[in-house]
Amino acid sequence: MTTNIRIWRALNSELEGGNLNIIQKVLQPKSAEAKNCATCISEHNCSTASADMRSEICSSDLNDSQKDAVLSCLVTRECNHQNTVKLIWGPPGTGKTKTVGLLLFSLLSNEMQNCYMCPNQYCSFGSDTAASKECDSSRLKYDTYGLGNIVLFGNRERMKIGDRHDLLDIFLDNRVCILYDCLVSSSGWKDFKDEWEIKKFCLENSCLTFCTVSSSAKLHEVMARWDLLVIDEGSQIKECESIIPLQLPGLRHAILIGDERQLPAMVKSKILDGPNVKERSYDRRFLQGNMYGSYSFINVAHGKEEFDKSHSLRNMIEVAVASEIVASLFKATTKESVRTKKVKVGIISPYKAQVYAIEEKGGEEDVIIMSTVRSNMNGVVGFLKDHQRTNVALTRARHCLWILGNADTLTKRNSIWKELVIDAKKRGCFYNADEDDSLAQAQAQAITNVLVEPLASLSLRDKSESSIIYHL
C-alpha cells in the first residue's frame, strides 16, 4: 500500500521538488538521439581528475564494450546543457554487475550526488557490494576512509542486514545509531531534534545513495539536488513506479540497466547476472559419462505429474533422479584427493510443490539441475511456456546445466521446450535417464514408492524453503 500511495503522489506531481525534465525527455520518442555535448566532452578530457579516472578504467579488467559503457556514462554525467537517458543492456553473463560496480565507484570519485536504485530490496546487493569493494580497495591504496560518502537505506529486516556485515558500514540506520550520541544537543555539535534529522543530514551529504525505487520517495524530503540516477534491473520496474525517482530535485541524467528478456516487474526473487565473466573455462566435468557434460537434456520418460495438498504440481520420479545425481556428485567430490574449491549445486523448478519436495535454491551455481515436472499425454506445459522464466532458469549455471524432463510431453506442442529438446538431439546432448544404471534404479524405486508408500517419503526434508544449495 505504501508503494501505491507513493506512485499516486508521483503521478499527481505531489512529491517535493517535482522535476519533470527527465520525464519530458522520455516522452519525446521522435526526438533525435541525444549526443554527448562537444563542449562538455572537451572540458572532461582536459580535466586532470578525469584523465586519471579514464586511465584507471582503461587499465581495469573489463572488456572493451564494458569500458565504453562506463566512460560514456561519465562523459554524460559532466554535461550541464541537456538532459539525457541512457541504457546499458546485456543478457546474462555479460558482466553488468561488475560494470555497474566500477561505474558507481567512478561516480563516487567525482564527489557529486548520485543515486543508485533497484526495483526491490532483494536485487541491489550485487552492485552496492561491488561498489563497496571498489571503495575498500581505494581506501587501502590511498590510506583513506572510503565509505563515508556512501549511504544505503531501506527495510532492515527485508534486506537482512543482520546477515550482511559487509553492508553495515553504509547502512543508514546503523550509521544514525553511531552518530546519535555525537549529534545530540549536549555534545556541542549541531543540534538535531531526532533521528530523522540525522538521516536527512547523512543523505544530504552523501555522494552515492543506494535505495529501492519506491523508497526514493524519501529523497524528495531532503535538501539535496541529485545529478545522476542509475536504475538497475530496469525491466522489473513498473512504468508508473519509475516516475518516483525520475522526479528527484536537480536530476539531469538517468541510466537504465537491464535485460527485457529476463523476469518482469513484481518478481520477489534475487536475480543475479549469469556466469561470472571472470571464468574463462566453462567446460568442467564433475561426473563421468557423456550424460554429465556441460549441457544435457535427460529424458525422464516414466515421470508422473501430480498435485500436492496446495494444488501445485510435482513429479516425484524427477525428484528421485535429481536426488540420485546430487548423491553421485557428493560421492565424486569427496573422493578427490585435492579439494581446490567447493562445488555448488542448485536445483530449480517452476512449481512450488517440486520446490518443497526437492527444497531448491535457484541462484548462480557451478551445476544447475532443472526439473521441468510436466509429464502428461496432452503436452500441457503450463508455466514452462513463459520465455522469461525459461531464460532465467537456463542461465543460472556456471559450468553444467542438466535438464530433467519428459521429452514426449515437452515436444507435443509448439513451444520453446519443443525447440530445446529438438536442439539437444541435434547437438548430441539428449540422453535417456534409463541409460544410467543408478538413475534407472532410482526411478524404479521411486515408482514403487509412489504406488505403495506415502508420497512425502521422497522429500529430502520436510521444511519448506524457496530453494536448496549443496556445497560439495
Side-chain angles (χ1 to χ4, degrees), residues 433-470:
D434 294 339
E435 297 171 12
D436 184 292
D437 292 340
S438 62
L439 298 187
Q441 185 176 351
Q443 287 183 93
Q445 184 61 50
I447 293 172
T448 301
N449 290 342
V450 168
L451 296 174
V452 179
E453 298 178 5
L455 293 176
S457 65
L458 283 177
S459 296
L460 298 183
R461 295 186 199 141
D462 289 333
K463 73 172 185 176
S464 334
E465 297 178 3
S466 61
S467 50
I468 186 168
I469 288 182
Y470 299 92

Side-chain angles (χ1 to χ4, degrees), residues 229-247:
L229 169 68
V230 178
I231 300 181
D232 204 353
E233 298 292 357
S235 64
Q236 295 187 40
I237 300 173
K238 294 177 292 186
E239 290 86 346
C240 58
E241 191 174 8
S242 68
I243 66 174
I244 299 174
L246 290 178
Q247 294 186 61

Side-chain angles (χ1 to χ4, degrees), residues 28 52 99 153 207 233 244 418 446 452:
Q28 296 175 2
D52 292 340
T99 302
F153 75 90
C207 290
E233 298 292 357
I244 299 174
K418 180 178 181 178
V452 179

